[in-house]
Amino acid sequence: MENFDYDLRSIQEARDLARSGEAAAKAIAKYTDEQIDAILRSMAKAGEEHALCLAEMAAEETGFGKAADKAYKNHAASTLLYEQIKGMKTTGILSEDPVTRTIEVAEPVGLIMGIVPSTNPTSTVFFKAMIAIKSGNSIVFSPHPSAAKCTLKAAEVMRDAAIAAGAPEGIIGCVTMPSMGSTNELMKCKEVSIIIATGGPGMVKAAYSAGKPAIGVGAGNSPAYIEKTADVKHAVRTIMASKTFDYGTICASEQSIICEESNHAEVVAELKAQGGYFMTKEETDKVCNLLFKNGHNMNAKFVGRSPQVIAAAAGIQIPEGTRVLIGKQEGVGEGYPLSYEKLTTVLGFYTVKDWEEACGLSIRLLQNGIGHTMSIHTQDRDKVIKFAAKPASRILVNTGGSQGGTGISTGLPIAFTLGCGTCGGSSVSENVSPKHLINIKTVAYGLKDCATIVEDDPTFMWKNGSTKTACSPADFVASFDKKETAPAASCQSGCDDNEKLAALVKEIVLAMKGQ
């Protein structure tokens, strides 16, 4: 195919991968639980063996994050994930209810398309490949161009391990010539049954517009509230561990800290003691000018970077041992760039009077990453319940956002695709798992005699025409006509009330328009 242009070759490759993947999906759909588990064990083992080398490859190719932390993410997406899902029932009969006489049966969805981000490329491949195979499906990956090599290598590691354990050829595929053409081809081709999109808002929106089922995730902008009853030292330690993990590339990582006036001094002192550097107003402006372009869109050059790299580029001096840059903010939205998502080692900082003010501030911050994640550090369970009403799908308590949101430090399903719910434009609000990649069919036995169902129903009052209505349909309509044509005098008080109501509504509308 040397005579064909790159984009044409990439589209043809996508078609070939889709056809091969569809055949593999039909084959693996017949596998037993034991066969599936053997394949997963092989994949988890291979993922563990290649965790570090793939992490180093990803860090070098993308320039994002830390290889050591990426290695742990690979470990979580292989070994830890396998231990969590190995006993999950995803094939055959899932449940049977002898009372309702229903049986739930799992059916694989078929070929899955996995869109891979540049921030977490290898761990996302491990994760999506594992949950696809666990649910009896095949998968084909579309890598981000800036992470194409490490994504392809991770997919090959998973593919080879799966096939070595008995999986069919074509079970795990990956585009080697990424292009918009190949991505669009996979999104819209008939062989792909569902899309899992992890990436930027544009890519996620495109996935939802492809004309087939999709699971997409939105941006995060997680605030971390340190309530007055919190163990401040522990809270700061977990926030720092989370924000510095892979230099903040996980979308569930903290983006702002909120403390109260009553514990402000203690929080600031602890942050400084643990490597937080509070920038001056001028330094904050310099860093923001570096981090953001076209408003609050983050500059990819500084995603997942150390504070030293950011400070040097911004031309500011920071103390040795600085782990996170912190900028105080007085508001949210335009003019306050640190109130938006920052997938790097920079945090916004807010001080409020009390928990009620923290509630309002959290809601405003979450509007820039609605539906994703927020965290609260407190010993007051009542405050936890109150904050559970916030527009976030994960409310994390006394833990770090990066590790907690992905299920590494919490009881949530381990995942690198985190749903944001309908408020965040996502079809799911949970951490995506194998259960989201199966169709559940229900077998239902008859419980009632269809021939006598009306007569046998004691709650139905109109059976056999034995009960007569007080008026005919014509009388029913006429009663409304009579009301409409009634003399004005007979409803003078009601008309007066309606006029008052109309005037009030008009005033409200004008007020909303600012008139």
Side-chain angles (χ1 to χ4, degrees), residues 448 453-463:
K448 300 176 182 179
I453 199 167
V454 175
E455 290 77 7
D456 295 342
D457 187 348
T459 65
F460 185 56
M461 63 182 293
W462 308 106
K463 56 189 173 184

Side-chain angles (χ1 to χ4, degrees), residues 422-433:
T422 54
C423 64
S426 179
S427 58
V428 298
S429 59
E430 304 164 293
N431 286 16
V432 176
S433 74

Side-chain angles (χ1 to χ4, degrees), residues 264-286:
H264 168 85
E266 185 181 5
V267 170
V268 170
E270 195 59 47
L271 282 167
K272 290 179 178 179
Q274 295 193 35
Y277 175 68
F278 281 83
M279 299 180 287
T280 65
K281 176 65 169 61
E282 293 72 23
E283 290 173 334
T284 300
D285 290 341
K286 287 181 179 180

Side-chain angles (χ1 to χ4, degrees), residues 131-145:
I131 64 171
I133 299 299
K134 175 60 179 175
S135 47
N137 301 292
S138 60
I139 188 166
V140 58
F141 290 106
S142 177
H144 191 285

Side-chain angles (χ1 to χ4, degrees), residues 25 159 259-260 308 339 361 363 373 376 378 382 498 506:
R159 177 201 65 195
C259 70
E260 298 185 29
Q308 287 71 28
S339 68
L361 176 57
I363 291 172
T373 305
I376 177 171
T378 181
D382 182 58
N498 288 341
K506 184 176 180 180

Side-chain angles (χ1 to χ4, degrees), residues 342-397:
K342 307 162 290 296
L343 295 182
T344 196
T345 51
V346 179
L347 284 165
F349 188 85
Y350 295 87
T351 303
V352 297
K353 292 181 180 180
D354 51 31
W355 74 269
E356 291 176 322
E357 188 176 341
C359 277
L361 176 57
S362 296
I363 291 172
R364 294 197 300 278
L365 286 167
L366 285 167
Q367 298 309 304
N368 300 325
I370 192 164
H372 205 289
T373 305
M374 81 159 292
S375 58
I376 177 171
H377 297 266
T378 181
Q379 302 303 316
D380 187 339
R381 187 178 183 278
D382 182 58
K383 296 296 190 300
V384 172
I385 301 304
K386 285 182 170 63
F387 271 78
K390 300 298 172 286
S393 297
R394 279 154 294 278
I395 310 295
L396 308 175
V397 184

Side-chain angles (χ1 to χ4, degrees), residues 46-70:
E48 190 66 49
E49 291 172 349
H50 292 83
L52 180 57
C53 65
L54 284 170
E56 292 172 340
M57 187 176 181
E60 181 179 352
E61 183 177 5
T62 66
F64 301 158
K66 293 185 284 187
D69 291 342
K70 288 185 182 298

